[in-house]
Amino acid sequence: MPYVANTDQDRRQMLERLGLERVDELFADVPESLRYPELQLPAGKSEFEVLEELRSVARRNSAASDVRSFVGAGAYRHFIPAVVPFLSSRGEFATSYTPYQAEASQGTLQSIFEYQSMLSALLEVDVVNASHYDGSTAVAEAVLMSVNVARGRRRDVIVSDAVHPYHREVVRSYSDRIDIRVRGDERERTAGELASLADEETACVVVQYPDFYGRVPDLSGVAEAVHEQGALFVVHVDPVALGLFRSPGSLGADIVTGEGQPLGIPVSFGGPYLGIFGCSKSLVRRMPGRLAGQAYDKEGRRGYVLTLNTREQHIRREKATSNICTNQGLMALRAAIFLAALGPHGLREMATLCYHKTAYAVRRIAELRGFAVHEEADTARFREFVARTPIPAAELVERAQAYNVIPGVALSRFDPQRTHELLVCVTELDSRADIDRLVDVLSRCHEGNAA
Amino acid sequence: MRISSGRPGVPPPLIMEESREGRRAVDLPEPDVPEAELPGRMLRESNPDLPEVSELDVVRHYTRLSQTNTAIDTTFYPLGSCTMKYNPKVNEMAAAEPGFAQSPPLEPEEATQGSLELLYRLQGALCEIAGFDAVSLQPAAGAQGELAGVLMIRAYHEQRGDAGRTRMLIPDSAHGTNPASVAMAGFEAIQVPTDRAGNVDAKALREACDERTAGLMITNPNTLGLFEQQIQEVTRIVHEAGGLVYGDGANLNAILGIVRPGDFGVDVMHFNLHKTFSTPHGGGGPGAGPIGVAKHLTPFMPGPLVVAEGDPLPWENEGVSGADGDRLLDGNSTAAASSEAASRRVYRTAMPPRSIGRVKAFFGNFGMLVRAYTYIRRLGPVGLRSLAENAVLNANYLKALIGDVYPVKYNRPCMHEFVAVGNVVEGIQTMDVAKRLIDYGFHPPTVYFPLIVKEAMMIEPTESEGRETIEAFAETLRRIAREAREEPELLHGAPHVTPVSRLDEVSAARHPVLCYGG
């Protein structure tokens, strides 16, 4: 039997020691009428047969073919240095558990401490943990934390409409049933306008940076306006963009969340990813999730432990800051290796390449007849932008597939009203020739002469 | 500065301490497009303070770090309640298939039929294994599955105009996540005691149930490693009081193919794919915590779900249970014929009509879902049952080998794990035994949980281990008990073989240093 070590003889010997004849006798407490259901599942198969079957399923995805995809919208194709998958897949890392026994888990603990340190440097905030599932849940937890920081007395949360629509949905799933009011995203607002909505009921103001549409908002002065109302400023970031753009810490963020996927984690149809979560030192005891901290043994040797555990569910139960039990160790490890491999210059170069290529794609598409890339001329854009399309964007996406190109995400997928807008993503992986091909295909699809 | 000893088992310095200005690991090409003007005032003033190291530095650093870890791949890891079973390598290969790993989640559905098919197949398989009508693969972890499940229970009562039900009953043996999830959903957690046989106290449960009861969260087998002997009575009591039953699926490994939670009255349950279905724990994550639900809860599920064109939607499919053979693929045909049949179908996503909403962006922890499905596909129904039988046999065998030295309170067969008491002599605590195990090359069991057993040592060997490993572990535990009497300082000072000995956690928490230079 796959994945079982005992032989028939082992089992006989073990049963004999237990004074039993059959394994069934161990299940006497299970109601007899319900025992041994006939599971309607296909019979098991050998390793190579299963792998072939799974490969044939995977081949139904465009990603298995030479289709060129300009789809982002929260999941980004970036260069992943070879060292990232090689090192992170080592069994010593991958098949260990949450490092409760610190002496036997220094590898996991030190790598998390390194991740916390590198992210703290990148975000320019005091404390970062590695405990959240993805960007969307990190934002939701930041909202709950803000309410907790205000001891539950402020239950109003202001969220920008340019925060990822799925993230806003997750925030509402976490908030709606516990009387936290989420507002501010009914229409487009600048960060300054959002801050001016805040009042003495407001727990936090949440913005995304760069935002869901690829714009890098100017956040100067926003934190001060939010703080004036006694609320916290939550900034949801993209970590690659921070290789180039001002850090959220320098912009006065109290809590920083982000999607860590671009840091060496494959898009993998939406998960598993990494929720970035950081905050200022004064808030750390309200922070949800596990933290690695430095410690010393009797001999004065330095090591690392999980610390500040009294915030957590396994100690505090219903009084914990969150129900989080995960320590997103393997994803944090990937991010740490990625950042170590790129270094300060590499990350800046990656971000700069994304910036220039996005600008090039914007210019080329804006020149196409019938297309426009709107907004003020001086909007800084990073890796993504919205193109106005002459025909419904969903139709354009469908037509383009005949040319083996997926030109972006039709915004109608999120908002049925926005029929003629296409969200296009360009990263360092897209060459000039790839972008030129995208432009050519958009032009052909519009002209209606799809192959 | 470069002071790594290079000896396996000795951790390197922090990667930041290995940094040398100007050193680089990877390089990127020059831009092949005209350079645009950078928005000066928006830019960060200096590069982030990241390490500057060579590629070989990175490789050696993380290789050495890995060597200071214990893991299933290196060591017997009988961590109770965590099901540290072998994580098959073929799962990793399947998840790394470019068609899966490089699939952007928001491509049009017709471009991601492979991913959707995988999700559809896994939904069906989990329904069948645990006896539910539908499965949502959204939740990223068990705790998130709990939150989603409790929110669904809340939505269910509210939908029926029964909003006064705000109390969730939780046995005192439960995982800490249960009360924490209940609090996050805005409910009140009410503790229910355990009786002398190690079951939920049915009498106390009956007394606790009233018109304020939203439901019961129950782990079965429970965290004492015991199957709830009155489970049908327990679920009946809750249902008769108008509550729903949440099942914590942490211990599903013990009952795969033996009994289905949906059949003993559970209305909604999370699966821990990283426990039962062999996806690697990764040092604590990522996991995956899909939830299975009975018919009446399907309209409230977190979405999206994957459906096949032509199938009725779960919330419309009157009276049909989870055993829909077609969605599982015909088991008797060859692989080629199966995939041919499946690839004729068209899959799409659907949001349940009264969904509690998304609990996570995109489609759940897809990479973990691929691994779990691969595992189920390898095993089939016969293999799944064999996992449970061997896990339970191993646990009972180990219990028999050490029970006279490390007492176990309840005298009946355990399931996949059992809870022994570790303070074998005066002056020795469970933690000392646990730390001494490290010296002998074993990862310690879970200690000090469940909270209702003092000095608890919760041991789960799993089916992955063979008889000799179980015997060697038992022999070591017996030897440590002798040492506890004869040379207790060996235990107090343990572990002796690790790069660091016991770390001062109290000082670490009092003066937290949470980042380099912090």
Side-chain angles (χ1 to χ4, degrees):
Chain A
M1 212 38 74
Y3 313 137
V4 167
N6 289 323
T7 64
D8 286 342
Q9 196 189 334
D10 288 329
R11 274 187 288 271
R12 271 196 302 277
Q13 287 182 15
M14 294 161 83
L15 284 169
E16 199 174 307
R17 174 71 171 73
L18 294 171
L20 302 175
E21 278 176 32
R22 298 162 52 84
V23 175
D24 310 18
E25 296 169 56
L26 293 170
F27 294 101
D29 288 339
V30 176
E32 198 172 352
S33 61
L34 304 180
R35 242 182 270 163
Y36 307 123
E38 287 253 337
L39 298 185
Q40 301 300 308
L41 290 173
K45 289 205 278 192
S46 73
E47 179 171 313
F48 72 84
E49 289 172 305
V50 168
L51 196 55
E52 190 40 55
E53 183 180 320
L54 270 288
R55 280 180 174 146
S56 76
V57 175
R59 276 196 292 272
R60 294 188 74 190
N61 279 345
S62 72
S65 64
D66 58 358
V67 169
R68 193 81 205 172
S69 181
F70 295 87
V71 169
Y76 300 100
R77 300 162 291 112
H78 279 289
F79 165 57
I80 299 177
V83 293
V84 174
F86 268 81
L87 293 167
S88 65
S89 62
R90 288 182 65 93
E92 298 93 325
F93 285 128
T95 73
S96 62
Y97 191 57
T98 305
Y100 294 124
Q101 298 291 343
E103 305 85 353
S105 317
Q106 284 298 298
T108 296
L109 285 160
Q110 184 174 328
S111 68
I112 290 173
F113 186 84
E114 291 177 354
Y115 165 84
Q116 290 176 185
S117 301
M118 287 191 254
L119 263 288
S120 174
L122 183 63
L123 309 176
E124 300 190 88
V125 294
D126 302 331
V127 186
V128 177
N129 71 18
S131 206
H132 292 269
Y133 313 130
D134 71 351
S136 69
T137 58
V139 181
E141 290 276 3
V143 163
L144 299 187
M145 175 175 160
S146 301
V147 173
N148 286 336
V149 166
R151 314 233 166 226
R153 287 192 283 266
R154 292 167 175 255
R155 306 192 78 85
D156 173 58
V157 170
I158 294 167
V159 180
S160 158
D161 76 297
V163 169
H164 195 302
Y166 289 171
H167 296 21
R168 286 185 281 127
E169 283 187 49
V170 175
V171 165
R172 287 194 161 87
S173 301
Y174 275 59
S175 303
D176 280 355
R177 289 189 168 74
I178 52 171
D179 303 317
I180 296 175
R181 186 164 58 119
V182 180
R183 64 184 176 115
D185 59 346
E186 323 76 47
R187 62 176 178 84
E188 193 165 345
R189 286 189 169 96
T190 66
E193 287 165 354
L194 286 166
S196 69
L197 291 180
D199 57 30
E200 69 283 357
E201 299 283 303
T202 305
C204 65
V205 174
V206 186
V207 301
Q208 185 170 330
Y209 173 86
D211 72 17
F212 177 64
Y213 306 106
R215 299 168 302 196
V216 188
D218 185 352
L219 298 180
S220 47
V222 178
E224 292 76 0
V226 173
H227 292 155
E228 209 156 282
Q229 296 299 325
L232 298 181
F233 188 35
V234 179
V235 181
H236 183 74
V237 300
D238 178 88
V240 172
L242 299 184
L244 183 61
F245 291 97
R246 285 186 67 181
S247 72
S250 74
L251 293 161
D254 302 290
I255 303 175
V256 179
T257 61
E259 176 50 74
Q261 175 271 324
L263 303 178
I265 298 168
V267 286
S268 189
F269 204 59
Y273 290 173
L274 168 65
I276 294 172
F277 200 105
C279 67
S280 53
K281 217 174 217 163
S282 60
L283 299 176
V284 69
R285 285 177 199 270
R286 296 267 169 192
M287 187 183 206
R290 301 183 186 276
L291 276 165
Q294 189 177 291
Y296 290 88
D297 69 7
K298 284 196 304 292
E299 291 75 31
R301 287 174 297 201
R302 185 180 66 180
Y304 303 90
V305 294
L306 290 177
T307 193
L308 300 181
N309 296 316
T310 50
R311 299 163 297 124
E312 295 190 53
Q313 48 79 24
H314 61 283
I315 312 277
R316 294 276 281 170
R317 298 175 80 85
E318 66 270 21
K319 295 189 179 64
T321 53
S322 165
N323 69 344
I324 280 271
C325 184
T326 281
N327 172 53
Q328 200 77 332
L330 198 58
M331 300 291 112
L333 174 68
R334 288 187 80 111
I337 300 171
F338 176 92
L339 287 171
L342 262 83
H345 303 288
L347 192 67
R348 189 182 195 99
E349 286 163 11
M350 181 180 275
T352 307
L353 280 170
C354 291
Y355 181 83
H356 292 317
K357 286 175 190 247
T358 305
Y360 176 72
V362 166
R363 183 164 64 76
R364 292 291 324 275
I365 290 175
E367 286 166 5
L368 280 179
R369 198 160 57 81
F371 287 81
V373 180
H374 56 117
E375 283 140 12
E376 318 77 73
D378 66 343
T379 304
R381 291 191 188 81
F382 181 77
R383 199 179 49 198
E384 214 156 16
F385 60 94
V386 176
R388 279 194 175 282
T389 56
I391 60 171
E395 203 176 314
L396 199 63
V397 170
E398 200 177 314
R399 286 192 196 177
Q401 286 181 64
Y403 299 95
N404 277 346
V405 166
I406 303 179
V409 183
L411 284 185
S412 53
R413 188 153 180 174
F414 305 101
D415 179 355
Q417 313 275 311
R418 302 183 75 162
T419 52
H420 286 64
E421 291 173 276
L422 183 70
L423 186 63
V424 184
C425 169
V426 180
T427 75
E428 79 284 350
L429 296 178
D430 299 308
S431 69
R432 179 176 187 152
D434 293 325
I435 298 168
D436 289 344
R437 181 156 154 242
L438 165 70
V439 173
D440 183 51
V441 167
L442 286 176
S443 157
R444 284 164 188 261
C445 291
H446 169 215
E447 302 304 332
N449 49 358
Chain B
M1 204 59 189
R2 325 203 81 226
I3 48 173
S4 310
S5 76
R7 202 151 53 78
V10 173
L14 290 167
I15 189 105
M16 303 83 184
E17 293 166 339
E18 299 189 67
S19 180
R20 278 282 190 84
E21 200 178 326
R23 196 162 267 146
R24 295 194 58 152
V26 302
D27 56 294
L28 290 160
E30 291 294 313
D32 60 353
V33 296
E35 294 189 25
E37 196 187 331
L38 290 165
R41 69 196 167 81
M42 309 279 288
L43 303 183
R44 77 185 288 149
E45 280 167 15
S46 59
N47 283 343
D49 194 9
L50 297 172
E52 298 182 69
V53 288
S54 73
E55 184 165 330
L56 181 56
D57 288 337
V58 175
V59 171
R60 286 211 180 123
H61 179 83
Y62 288 101
T63 300
R64 283 192 200 136
L65 267 191
S66 78
Q67 289 167 336
T68 66
N69 249 11
T70 51
I72 301 169
D73 280 7
T74 63
T75 307
F76 179 43
Y77 211 123
L79 199 62
S81 197
C82 301
T83 313
M84 299 299 283
K85 59 169 66 182
Y86 171 59
N87 307 146
K89 304 306 173 193
V90 66
N91 299 354
E92 302 303 308
M93 289 184 75
E97 269 298 305
F100 290 139
Q102 292 168 26
S103 179
L106 288 181
E107 286 189 346
E109 289 181 353
E110 56 268 33
T112 58
Q113 285 293 300
S115 294
L116 296 178
E117 180 179 338
L118 188 288
L119 297 174
Y120 181 81
R121 289 195 194 195
L122 181 61
Q123 286 172 188
L126 293 179
C127 273
E128 179 63 16
I129 288 167
F132 289 111
D133 290 289
V135 159
S136 168
L137 301 172
Q138 286 290 304
Q144 208 192 22
E146 290 176 21
L147 175 62
V150 177
L151 287 172
M152 286 169 65
I153 290 173
R154 186 164 179 156
Y156 171 86
H157 290 311
E158 284 173 3
Q159 168 72 21
R160 293 155 53 93
D162 206 357
R165 295 186 177 272
T166 56
R167 304 173 84 175
M168 187 64 84
L169 308 176
I170 301 178
D172 54 6
S173 60
H175 294 105
T177 48
N178 288 183
S181 299
V182 163
M184 279 178 87
F187 276 174
E188 190 187 350
I190 305 289
Q191 193 162 294
V192 183
T194 298
D195 70 14
R196 283 162 61 186
N199 295 308
V200 170
D201 187 325
K203 187 162 165 283
L205 177 68
R206 208 173 278 116
E207 283 162 11
C209 277
D210 58 24
E211 70 291 343
R212 294 168 298 176
T213 302
L216 166 75
M217 289 184 96
I218 191 165
T219 311
N220 187 29
N222 63 30
T223 64
L224 297 165
L226 300 171
F227 194 89
E228 290 285 341
Q229 288 168 303
Q230 288 111 41
I231 186 62
Q232 287 174 295
E233 175 66 7
V234 163
T235 56
R236 193 180 308 118
I237 291 169
V238 176
H239 288 150
E240 280 174 4
L244 296 180
V245 177
Y246 183 91
D248 181 325
N251 295 340
L252 185 66
N253 202 49
I255 54 170
L256 287 171
I258 309 292
V259 63
R260 310 196 306 173
D263 294 346
F264 58 65
V266 170
D267 299 289
V268 48
M269 182 192 91
H270 77 260
F271 301 79
N272 296 95
L273 298 188
H274 44 287
K275 296 180 182 176
T276 315
F277 296 101
S278 81
T279 76
H281 281 78
I291 46 177
V293 309
K295 174 79 184 157
H296 47 280
L297 284 175
T298 54
F300 305 98
M301 300 177 86
L305 269 58
V306 178
V307 298
E309 296 274 342
D311 275 4
L313 297 169
W315 41 91
E316 295 168 358
N317 182 11
E318 284 303 327
V320 177
S321 80
D324 176 354
D326 193 32
R327 74 169 156 226
L328 308 169
L329 284 188
D330 42 327
N332 300 323
S333 60
T334 64
S338 296
S339 55
E340 199 183 306
S343 59
R344 280 196 301 269
R345 309 204 67 177
V346 175
Y347 302 94
R348 62 182 180 81
T349 58
M351 207 68 184
R354 284 188 284 280
S355 174
I356 58 159
R358 286 176 193 274
V359 293
K360 186 188 173 306
F362 310 119
F363 307 97
N365 276 347
F366 181 78
M368 308 334 271
L369 305 177
V370 175
R371 289 171 174 89
Y373 183 73
T374 305
Y375 187 65
I376 292 168
R377 207 59 203 85
R378 279 281 282 129
L379 287 155
V382 178
L384 289 169
R385 177 169 158 183
S386 166
L387 299 181
E389 289 178 339
N390 282 278
V392 170
L393 179 58
N394 278 350
N396 279 283
Y397 186 58
L398 180 53
K399 181 164 78 110
L401 296 181
I402 64 163
D404 58 328
V405 182
Y406 297 91
V408 179
K409 189 170 169 189
Y410 305 96
N411 183 27
R412 57 170 159 128
C414 66
M415 292 285 107
H416 60 301
E417 67 192 0
F418 61 94
V419 180
V421 172
N423 53 338
V424 281
V425 295
E426 179 107 9
I428 289 293
Q429 295 180 312
T430 291
M431 188 61 84
D432 301 317
V433 175
K435 297 299 186 192
R436 184 65 178 147
L437 275 167
I438 297 173
D439 286 337
Y440 288 104
F442 293 108
H443 192 282
T446 295
V447 290
Y448 301 104
F449 184 80
L451 306 178
I452 57 170
V453 178
K454 287 217 166 19
E455 297 291 328
M457 195 163 71
M458 187 189 208
I459 308 177
E460 179 179 13
T462 84
E463 72 283 355
S464 308
E465 306 295 339
R467 183 173 57 80
E468 296 87 342
T469 306
I470 306 287
E471 288 168 356
F473 182 70
E475 190 41 55
T476 302
L477 272 177
R478 302 183 72 90
R479 179 170 173 174
I480 291 172
R482 283 195 300 277
E483 290 176 349
R485 285 187 295 274
E486 293 157 14
E487 298 171 89
E489 64 283 359
L490 277 178
L491 276 70
H492 288 137
H496 303 275
V497 300
T498 44
V500 288
S501 58
R502 285 190 221 186
L503 293 158
D504 183 354
E505 298 188 10
V506 175
S507 302
R510 197 166 291 154
H511 309 288
V513 176
L514 305 171
C515 69
Y516 175 58

